Amino acid sequence: MMAPARPRRTALPLMLALALCLPALAQQGGDPTDPANRTGTAPAPGGEAPAPIKAIGGFLGGLLGGDKNKPQIDELKPGAYTKSNEAIGEERDLAEMEVSRGVVPMEGFTTYANGVLDKLKAASGLTQIPGQVHVVASGELDAGATADGNVYLSVAYLRSLKNEDQLAALLAHELAHVLLKHHDSNVFTRTQKQLSSMLAVGMGTRNALDAIGGQRAASAALTPSQQKALGELEVMIKFSDLALHPAWSRRQESEADRLGMDLMVRAGYSYFAGLVPWLEMVAQWDDLRAQRLAEQQARKQETLNTLFASGQLDQGLKQTLDMGAGQIIGALSRTHEDGQQRLSDINAYFENAYKKEVPKVAPRVQPFEAVVNRPAVKGIADGYTKVFEARDLLVKGEPGPAAALLTPLVRSGPLAQHALPNTLMVDALKATGKRREAEAHLARAPRWTPTTWDVYETAAIFEKDRGKRDAARQIGKTAFDRFSRAPSAYPRLIALYRRSGLPEDAQRVLGECKLVQADMRERCDEAARGS
């Protein structure tokens, strides 16, 4: 017979965690573009709450929702745009994307796309809206906006969009996130993580000081009660990351779809030839990703069946539980509704808010086709399709075919001086045993543009292999400064130092990451572990 369950103290409730975060926020200040002040804000005018607190209040209040029976754009207040509390500066924001994704130089397209973005900004009724359009090195239909107003879309989108109206739909949706200050919602979970890191450091420091004073054994290790307190806060952080924040994000996607439609209509673009087919494209992409996930799940199920059939019950049960937990977390962590649901919602919004009174305008096909078919644009887009194929081959352990794909691209043509294909070529040559050729190719790196983090990491590994760890350390420092100490540079620097045989340097950067780049905590930990 089981003993009666004793009452258990639950993890920190949401509002208590929020209350803990607010004092830390209220004391913040400084330049938000300063790497040592990632979350800093300018002092609020007299009598006003600090910007981070206003941001939290704004997005928590926004959970109640707006009126879906009138245009979302009516809720925007005309005047000068005030930047998001999460903005880190456009230059540093671009450096962040260069580290995390890779930016593709494509001036012929981005000049045109920025013209479309300017029309949408003008339609909003706000002024001084920051940000520009940039293209990132991704073969998937991928786009996003940052708190600094920059809009990033993948090379794959250039091959999938059919007219300027569809481009305007994508840009209007991303601009809507910026105008609605959706990025400010990140202040809540980020501050929780900062608080946890600061508490851990503070507790360890206090323990060490107590040891110096002779009050306890010489150790900075946390006591069981301290570990329990931090554990409760970490539970709240996980809950925010896996459930609350994704739920807010799904609501924000719906808001951005509605405001995006408003911006398109006011800018004179076609709802029927732009937004609807773009959302249909998103829905098809979601279906494809769901199919891939189902195939992965089927392969995992086959593995489980094999384990059970061979009598490995313990391992099979563990993997079954892990698989189930992953599915639950995946469901909780969805940041977007699926494309079909979004299409249904925007059609309902069209019916209710506009009463079908949206003028039908001819789609702008010719200007878009003229730009994407320019040799300088099309050549880059087509070339990156092969670059992505080569990257996949390298991941699969097939460097020979990868090198064959890359060789004509790096010898001549529009991609000859692009950093990504050239860095992949170095990896392919090295993996096929042509180390001397790889090193000679890497020597041309200063001419590659725009540079990528991988160039520096590859160079550091070469120096480590030659026994020159100090040179590898200097390369890491140079890369960190070159990319403006962007958030994603922290885990990359940790990995560079770890792979270069510099564990103390890696641990030093890990400690700094946890204090000043709370959003990167998990990625920095993974980089330090090599996972």
Side-chain angles (χ1 to χ4, degrees), residues 331-380:
L332 287 173
S333 302
R334 283 189 305 112
T335 58
H336 294 64
E337 295 291 356
D338 65 71
Q340 292 293 349
Q341 182 62 52
R342 290 172 65 186
L343 189 58
S344 174
D345 289 347
I346 200 65
N347 282 329
Y349 176 66
F350 170 66
E351 294 279 346
N352 296 331
Y354 282 85
K355 315 300 182 189
K356 298 184 179 181
E357 297 175 359
V358 174
K360 289 189 176 182
V361 297
R364 305 180 190 189
V365 178
Q366 194 278 330
F368 179 82
E369 290 184 343
V371 170
V372 297
N373 287 322
R374 289 177 188 169
V377 175
K378 189 175 187 301
I380 294 175

Short mmCIF file of all heavy atoms in Angstrom, two decimals, residues 331-380:
data_model
loop_
_atom_site.label_atom_id
_atom_site.label_comp_id
_atom_site.label_asym_id
_atom_site.label_seq_id
_atom_site.Cartn_x
_atom_site.Cartn_y
_atom_site.Cartn_z
N ALA A 331 4.68 20.09 -29.40
CA ALA A 331 3.34 20.67 -29.48
C ALA A 331 3.26 21.97 -28.67
O ALA A 331 2.68 22.96 -29.11
CB ALA A 331 2.30 19.67 -28.98
N LEU A 332 3.87 21.96 -27.47
CA LEU A 332 3.85 23.15 -26.64
C LEU A 332 4.66 24.28 -27.24
O LEU A 332 4.33 25.46 -27.09
CB LEU A 332 4.41 22.83 -25.25
CG LEU A 332 3.54 22.01 -24.31
CD1 LEU A 332 4.33 21.65 -23.07
CD2 LEU A 332 2.27 22.75 -23.93
N SER A 333 5.74 23.91 -27.93
CA SER A 333 6.71 24.90 -28.39
C SER A 333 6.39 25.50 -29.75
O SER A 333 7.18 26.28 -30.27
CB SER A 333 8.11 24.26 -28.43
OG SER A 333 8.46 23.77 -27.17
N ARG A 334 5.28 25.14 -30.36
CA ARG A 334 4.96 25.69 -31.67
C ARG A 334 4.81 27.21 -31.56
O ARG A 334 4.01 27.71 -30.78
CB ARG A 334 3.64 25.10 -32.21
CG ARG A 334 3.75 23.71 -32.74
CD ARG A 334 2.46 23.28 -33.44
NE ARG A 334 1.30 23.40 -32.58
CZ ARG A 334 0.32 24.29 -32.75
NH1 ARG A 334 0.36 25.13 -33.77
NH2 ARG A 334 -0.71 24.32 -31.93
N THR A 335 5.56 27.94 -32.36
CA THR A 335 5.48 29.40 -32.34
C THR A 335 4.57 29.94 -33.44
O THR A 335 4.26 31.12 -33.45
CB THR A 335 6.88 30.02 -32.50
OG1 THR A 335 7.45 29.56 -33.72
CG2 THR A 335 7.77 29.64 -31.33
N HIS A 336 4.17 29.07 -34.38
CA HIS A 336 3.27 29.46 -35.46
C HIS A 336 2.09 28.49 -35.51
O HIS A 336 2.25 27.30 -35.25
CB HIS A 336 3.96 29.39 -36.83
CG HIS A 336 5.08 30.35 -37.01
ND1 HIS A 336 6.23 30.32 -36.26
CD2 HIS A 336 5.23 31.37 -37.89
CE1 HIS A 336 7.03 31.27 -36.66
NE2 HIS A 336 6.47 31.92 -37.64
N GLU A 337 0.91 29.01 -35.83
CA GLU A 337 -0.15 28.12 -36.25
C GLU A 337 0.24 27.57 -37.61
O GLU A 337 1.02 28.18 -38.34
CB GLU A 337 -1.49 28.88 -36.35
CG GLU A 337 -2.02 29.42 -35.02
CD GLU A 337 -2.47 28.34 -34.07
OE1 GLU A 337 -2.44 27.15 -34.46
OE2 GLU A 337 -2.85 28.67 -32.94
N ASP A 338 -0.32 26.42 -38.00
CA ASP A 338 0.02 25.90 -39.32
C ASP A 338 -0.56 26.80 -40.40
O ASP A 338 -1.49 27.58 -40.16
CB ASP A 338 -0.45 24.45 -39.48
CG ASP A 338 -1.96 24.33 -39.45
OD1 ASP A 338 -2.60 24.76 -40.42
OD2 ASP A 338 -2.50 23.79 -38.47
N GLY A 339 0.01 26.69 -41.59
CA GLY A 339 -0.35 27.59 -42.68
C GLY A 339 -1.83 27.57 -43.03
O GLY A 339 -2.42 28.62 -43.33
N GLN A 340 -2.45 26.40 -43.01
CA GLN A 340 -3.87 26.31 -43.34
C GLN A 340 -4.72 27.08 -42.34
O GLN A 340 -5.68 27.76 -42.71
CB GLN A 340 -4.31 24.83 -43.38
CG GLN A 340 -3.72 24.03 -44.53
CD GLN A 340 -4.25 24.49 -45.89
OE1 GLN A 340 -5.21 25.26 -45.98
NE2 GLN A 340 -3.61 24.04 -46.95
N GLN A 341 -4.36 27.00 -41.06
CA GLN A 341 -5.11 27.73 -40.03
C GLN A 341 -4.93 29.23 -40.22
O GLN A 341 -5.89 30.00 -40.09
CB GLN A 341 -4.63 27.31 -38.64
CG GLN A 341 -5.39 27.98 -37.49
CD GLN A 341 -6.86 27.64 -37.49
OE1 GLN A 341 -7.21 26.46 -37.54
NE2 GLN A 341 -7.72 28.64 -37.46
N ARG A 342 -3.71 29.65 -40.54
CA ARG A 342 -3.46 31.08 -40.75
C ARG A 342 -4.24 31.58 -41.95
O ARG A 342 -4.78 32.70 -41.94
CB ARG A 342 -1.97 31.33 -40.93
CG ARG A 342 -1.16 31.13 -39.68
CD ARG A 342 0.33 31.20 -39.94
NE ARG A 342 0.76 32.52 -40.40
CZ ARG A 342 1.99 32.80 -40.80
NH1 ARG A 342 2.91 31.85 -40.81
NH2 ARG A 342 2.30 34.02 -41.20
N LEU A 343 -4.33 30.79 -43.00
CA LEU A 343 -5.07 31.18 -44.19
C LEU A 343 -6.56 31.31 -43.87
O LEU A 343 -7.23 32.26 -44.30
CB LEU A 343 -4.86 30.13 -45.29
CG LEU A 343 -5.39 30.46 -46.68
CD1 LEU A 343 -4.77 31.75 -47.20
CD2 LEU A 343 -5.10 29.31 -47.64
N SER A 344 -7.06 30.37 -43.08
CA SER A 344 -8.47 30.43 -42.67
C SER A 344 -8.74 31.67 -41.82
O SER A 344 -9.74 32.37 -42.01
CB SER A 344 -8.84 29.16 -41.88
OG SER A 344 -10.14 29.24 -41.36
N ASP A 345 -7.81 31.97 -40.89
CA ASP A 345 -7.99 33.13 -40.01
C ASP A 345 -7.97 34.44 -40.79
O ASP A 345 -8.76 35.35 -40.51
CB ASP A 345 -6.89 33.15 -38.94
CG ASP A 345 -7.06 32.03 -37.92
OD1 ASP A 345 -8.14 31.42 -37.88
OD2 ASP A 345 -6.10 31.77 -37.17
N ILE A 346 -7.05 34.56 -41.76
CA ILE A 346 -6.95 35.83 -42.48
C ILE A 346 -8.15 36.02 -43.40
O ILE A 346 -8.62 37.15 -43.62
CB ILE A 346 -5.62 35.93 -43.27
CG1 ILE A 346 -5.30 37.41 -43.59
CG2 ILE A 346 -5.66 35.13 -44.56
CD1 ILE A 346 -5.02 38.25 -42.38
N ASN A 347 -8.70 34.94 -43.92
CA ASN A 347 -9.92 35.04 -44.73
C ASN A 347 -11.09 35.51 -43.87
O ASN A 347 -11.92 36.32 -44.31
CB ASN A 347 -10.24 33.71 -45.39
CG ASN A 347 -9.38 33.45 -46.62
OD1 ASN A 347 -8.97 34.38 -47.30
ND2 ASN A 347 -9.08 32.20 -46.90
N ALA A 348 -11.15 35.01 -42.62
CA ALA A 348 -12.21 35.46 -41.71
C ALA A 348 -12.03 36.94 -41.37
O ALA A 348 -13.00 37.70 -41.29
CB ALA A 348 -12.19 34.61 -40.44
N TYR A 349 -10.79 37.36 -41.18
CA TYR A 349 -10.49 38.76 -40.91
C TYR A 349 -10.90 39.63 -42.10
O TYR A 349 -11.48 40.71 -41.94
CB TYR A 349 -9.00 38.90 -40.62
CG TYR A 349 -8.51 40.32 -40.41
CD1 TYR A 349 -8.92 41.07 -39.32
CD2 TYR A 349 -7.61 40.90 -41.31
CE1 TYR A 349 -8.46 42.36 -39.12
CE2 TYR A 349 -7.14 42.19 -41.11
CZ TYR A 349 -7.57 42.92 -40.02
OH TYR A 349 -7.11 44.20 -39.83
N PHE A 350 -10.62 39.15 -43.29
CA PHE A 350 -11.00 39.86 -44.50
C PHE A 350 -12.52 40.05 -44.56
O PHE A 350 -13.02 41.13 -44.89
CB PHE A 350 -10.51 39.06 -45.71
CG PHE A 350 -11.03 39.54 -47.04
CD1 PHE A 350 -10.68 40.78 -47.53
CD2 PHE A 350 -11.88 38.74 -47.81
CE1 PHE A 350 -11.15 41.22 -48.76
CE2 PHE A 350 -12.35 39.18 -49.03
CZ PHE A 350 -11.99 40.42 -49.51
N GLU A 351 -13.25 39.01 -44.19
CA GLU A 351 -14.72 39.08 -44.21
C GLU A 351 -15.23 40.06 -43.16
O GLU A 351 -16.12 40.89 -43.43
CB GLU A 351 -15.30 37.69 -43.93
CG GLU A 351 -15.03 36.66 -45.00
CD GLU A 351 -15.99 36.78 -46.18
OE1 GLU A 351 -17.01 37.48 -46.05
OE2 GLU A 351 -15.71 36.18 -47.23
N ASN A 352 -14.67 39.99 -41.93
CA ASN A 352 -15.23 40.75 -40.81
C ASN A 352 -14.77 42.21 -40.78
O ASN A 352 -15.56 43.11 -40.50
CB ASN A 352 -14.85 40.08 -39.48
CG ASN A 352 -15.46 38.69 -39.35
OD1 ASN A 352 -16.52 38.42 -39.90
ND2 ASN A 352 -14.78 37.82 -38.62
N ALA A 353 -13.47 42.42 -41.03
CA ALA A 353 -12.93 43.77 -40.89
C ALA A 353 -13.10 44.62 -42.14
O ALA A 353 -13.22 45.84 -42.06
CB ALA A 353 -11.44 43.71 -40.51
N TYR A 354 -13.09 43.97 -43.29
CA TYR A 354 -13.14 44.72 -44.55
C TYR A 354 -14.47 44.55 -45.30
O TYR A 354 -14.71 45.27 -46.26
CB TYR A 354 -11.99 44.29 -45.46
CG TYR A 354 -10.67 44.91 -45.05
CD1 TYR A 354 -9.89 44.32 -44.06
CD2 TYR A 354 -10.21 46.08 -45.64
CE1 TYR A 354 -8.69 44.89 -43.67
CE2 TYR A 354 -9.01 46.65 -45.26
CZ TYR A 354 -8.25 46.05 -44.27
OH TYR A 354 -7.06 46.62 -43.88
N LYS A 355 -15.28 43.63 -44.85
CA LYS A 355 -16.58 43.38 -45.49
C LYS A 355 -16.43 43.22 -47.01
O LYS A 355 -17.26 43.68 -47.80
CB LYS A 355 -17.57 44.53 -45.21
CG LYS A 355 -17.60 45.01 -43.77
CD LYS A 355 -17.99 43.94 -42.79
CE LYS A 355 -18.04 44.49 -41.36
NZ LYS A 355 -18.21 43.44 -40.35
N LYS A 356 -15.31 42.61 -47.41
CA LYS A 356 -15.00 42.37 -48.82
C LYS A 356 -14.75 43.65 -49.61
O LYS A 356 -14.69 43.63 -50.83
CB LYS A 356 -16.10 41.56 -49.49
CG LYS A 356 -16.29 40.17 -48.90
CD LYS A 356 -17.33 39.39 -49.68
CE LYS A 356 -17.52 38.00 -49.10
NZ LYS A 356 -18.52 37.22 -49.86
N GLU A 357 -14.59 44.78 -48.90
CA GLU A 357 -14.41 46.05 -49.60
C GLU A 357 -12.93 46.35 -49.83
O GLU A 357 -12.43 47.42 -49.49
CB GLU A 357 -15.07 47.18 -48.81
CG GLU A 357 -16.59 47.02 -48.69
CD GLU A 357 -17.20 48.09 -47.79
OE1 GLU A 357 -16.43 48.91 -47.26
OE2 GLU A 357 -18.43 48.09 -47.62
N VAL A 358 -12.22 45.42 -50.39
CA VAL A 358 -10.81 45.60 -50.72
C VAL A 358 -10.71 45.71 -52.24
O VAL A 358 -11.17 44.83 -52.97
CB VAL A 358 -9.96 44.41 -50.23
CG1 VAL A 358 -8.53 44.55 -50.71
CG2 VAL A 358 -10.00 44.34 -48.71
N PRO A 359 -10.17 46.81 -52.72
CA PRO A 359 -10.09 46.96 -54.18
C PRO A 359 -9.22 45.89 -54.81
O PRO A 359 -8.17 45.53 -54.27
CB PRO A 359 -9.47 48.36 -54.34
CG PRO A 359 -8.75 48.61 -53.07
CD PRO A 359 -9.55 47.93 -52.00
N LYS A 360 -9.66 45.39 -55.96
CA LYS A 360 -8.87 44.42 -56.70
C LYS A 360 -7.92 45.17 -57.62
O LYS A 360 -8.36 45.94 -58.47
CB LYS A 360 -9.78 43.49 -57.50
CG LYS A 360 -10.57 42.52 -56.62
CD LYS A 360 -11.29 41.46 -57.46
CE LYS A 360 -12.00 40.46 -56.57
NZ LYS A 360 -12.67 39.39 -57.36
N VAL A 361 -6.62 44.96 -57.41
CA VAL A 361 -5.62 45.62 -58.23
C VAL A 361 -4.82 44.56 -58.96
O VAL A 361 -4.71 43.42 -58.51
CB VAL A 361 -4.69 46.51 -57.38
CG1 VAL A 361 -5.47 47.63 -56.72
CG2 VAL A 361 -3.98 45.68 -56.33
N ALA A 362 -4.29 44.95 -60.10
CA ALA A 362 -3.52 43.99 -60.89
C ALA A 362 -2.21 43.66 -60.18
O ALA A 362 -1.54 44.56 -59.64
CB ALA A 362 -3.23 44.58 -62.27
N PRO A 363 -1.82 42.40 -60.14
CA PRO A 363 -0.54 42.03 -59.50
C PRO A 363 0.65 42.61 -60.25
O PRO A 363 0.60 42.77 -61.48
CB PRO A 363 -0.54 40.50 -59.56
CG PRO A 363 -1.47 40.16 -60.68
CD PRO A 363 -2.53 41.21 -60.68
N ARG A 364 1.70 42.92 -59.53
CA ARG A 364 2.90 43.52 -60.13
C ARG A 364 3.90 42.40 -60.42
O ARG A 364 4.76 42.08 -59.58
CB ARG A 364 3.48 44.56 -59.19
CG ARG A 364 2.44 45.62 -58.81
CD ARG A 364 2.99 46.68 -57.88
NE ARG A 364 1.92 47.51 -57.36
CZ ARG A 364 2.10 48.63 -56.65
NH1 ARG A 364 3.33 49.03 -56.39
NH2 ARG A 364 1.07 49.31 -56.20
N VAL A 365 3.77 41.84 -61.59
CA VAL A 365 4.59 40.69 -61.96
C VAL A 365 5.88 41.13 -62.65
O VAL A 365 6.97 40.69 -62.30
CB VAL A 365 3.80 39.73 -62.87
CG1 VAL A 365 4.68 38.56 -63.30
CG2 VAL A 365 2.54 39.25 -62.18
N GLN A 366 5.75 41.99 -63.65
CA GLN A 366 6.90 42.34 -64.48
C GLN A 366 8.05 42.96 -63.71
O GLN A 366 9.21 42.54 -63.89
CB GLN A 366 6.43 43.28 -65.60
CG GLN A 366 7.45 43.46 -66.73
CD GLN A 366 8.50 44.51 -66.38
OE1 GLN A 366 8.22 45.46 -65.63
NE2 GLN A 366 9.72 44.34 -66.91
N PRO A 367 7.81 43.93 -62.79
CA PRO A 367 8.96 44.50 -62.07
C PRO A 367 9.72 43.45 -61.26
O PRO A 367 10.95 43.46 -61.20
CB PRO A 367 8.31 45.56 -61.16
CG PRO A 367 7.01 45.88 -61.80
CD PRO A 367 6.55 44.60 -62.42
N PHE A 368 8.96 42.54 -60.64
CA PHE A 368 9.59 41.51 -59.82
C PHE A 368 10.42 40.56 -60.70
O PHE A 368 11.58 40.26 -60.38
CB PHE A 368 8.52 40.73 -59.06
CG PHE A 368 9.06 39.63 -58.20
CD1 PHE A 368 9.57 39.90 -56.94
CD2 PHE A 368 9.08 38.32 -58.64
CE1 PHE A 368 10.09 38.89 -56.13
CE2 PHE A 368 9.59 37.30 -57.85
CZ PHE A 368 10.10 37.58 -56.59
N GLU A 369 9.83 40.09 -61.78
CA GLU A 369 10.55 39.17 -62.65
C GLU A 369 11.79 39.81 -63.25
O GLU A 369 12.83 39.15 -63.42
CB GLU A 369 9.62 38.68 -63.77
CG GLU A 369 8.53 37.73 -63.27
CD GLU A 369 7.70 37.19 -64.42
OE1 GLU A 369 7.75 37.78 -65.53
OE2 GLU A 369 6.98 36.19 -64.21
N ALA A 370 11.69 41.10 -63.56
CA ALA A 370 12.84 41.79 -64.14
C ALA A 370 14.02 41.80 -63.17
O ALA A 370 15.18 41.67 -63.58
CB ALA A 370 12.46 43.22 -64.52
N VAL A 371 13.73 41.93 -61.88
CA VAL A 371 14.80 41.96 -60.88
C VAL A 371 15.37 40.58 -60.63
O VAL A 371 16.59 40.37 -60.66
CB VAL A 371 14.28 42.58 -59.56
CG1 VAL A 371 15.31 42.41 -58.44
CG2 VAL A 371 13.97 44.06 -59.75
N VAL A 372 14.51 39.59 -60.35
CA VAL A 372 15.02 38.26 -59.97
C VAL A 372 15.67 37.53 -61.14
O VAL A 372 16.42 36.57 -60.94
CB VAL A 372 13.90 37.39 -59.35
CG1 VAL A 372 13.40 38.01 -58.07
CG2 VAL A 372 12.77 37.15 -60.34
N ASN A 373 15.40 37.99 -62.36
CA ASN A 373 16.02 37.34 -63.52
C ASN A 373 17.27 38.06 -64.01
O ASN A 373 17.88 37.65 -65.00
CB ASN A 373 15.01 37.24 -64.67
CG ASN A 373 13.96 36.17 -64.40
OD1 ASN A 373 14.27 35.12 -63.84
ND2 ASN A 373 12.72 36.44 -64.76
N ARG A 374 17.66 39.14 -63.34
CA ARG A 374 18.93 39.78 -63.68
C ARG A 374 20.06 38.76 -63.47
O ARG A 374 20.06 38.02 -62.48
CB ARG A 374 19.19 40.99 -62.78
CG ARG A 374 18.30 42.18 -63.04
CD ARG A 374 18.61 43.28 -62.03
NE ARG A 374 17.67 44.39 -62.12
CZ ARG A 374 17.58 45.37 -61.22
NH1 ARG A 374 18.41 45.36 -60.16
NH2 ARG A 374 16.70 46.33 -61.36
N PRO A 375 21.03 38.72 -64.36
CA PRO A 375 22.12 37.74 -64.21
C PRO A 375 22.80 37.79 -62.85
O PRO A 375 23.11 36.75 -62.27
CB PRO A 375 23.08 38.13 -65.34
CG PRO A 375 22.20 38.76 -66.38
CD PRO A 375 21.14 39.49 -65.62
N ALA A 376 23.00 39.01 -62.32
CA ALA A 376 23.70 39.13 -61.04
C ALA A 376 22.87 38.56 -59.89
O ALA A 376 23.43 38.10 -58.89
CB ALA A 376 24.02 40.60 -60.77
N VAL A 377 21.55 38.61 -60.02
CA VAL A 377 20.66 38.07 -58.97
C VAL A 377 20.41 36.59 -59.18
O VAL A 377 20.59 35.77 -58.28
CB VAL A 377 19.34 38.86 -58.92
CG1 VAL A 377 18.37 38.23 -57.92
CG2 VAL A 377 19.59 40.32 -58.56
N LYS A 378 19.99 36.24 -60.40
CA LYS A 378 19.66 34.84 -60.69
C LYS A 378 20.89 33.95 -60.55
O LYS A 378 20.81 32.81 -60.05
CB LYS A 378 19.09 34.72 -62.11
CG LYS A 378 18.53 33.34 -62.43
CD LYS A 378 17.88 33.33 -63.80
CE LYS A 378 17.18 32.00 -64.07
NZ LYS A 378 18.11 30.85 -64.00
N GLY A 379 22.05 34.46 -60.99
CA GLY A 379 23.27 33.66 -60.88
C GLY A 379 23.60 33.32 -59.44
O GLY A 379 24.03 32.20 -59.14
N ILE A 380 23.41 34.28 -58.54
CA ILE A 380 23.68 34.03 -57.12
C ILE A 380 22.66 33.06 -56.54
O ILE A 380 23.01 32.10 -55.83
CB ILE A 380 23.68 35.36 -56.33
CG1 ILE A 380 24.86 36.22 -56.77
CG2 ILE A 380 23.74 35.09 -54.83
CD1 ILE A 380 24.88 37.61 -56.14
#
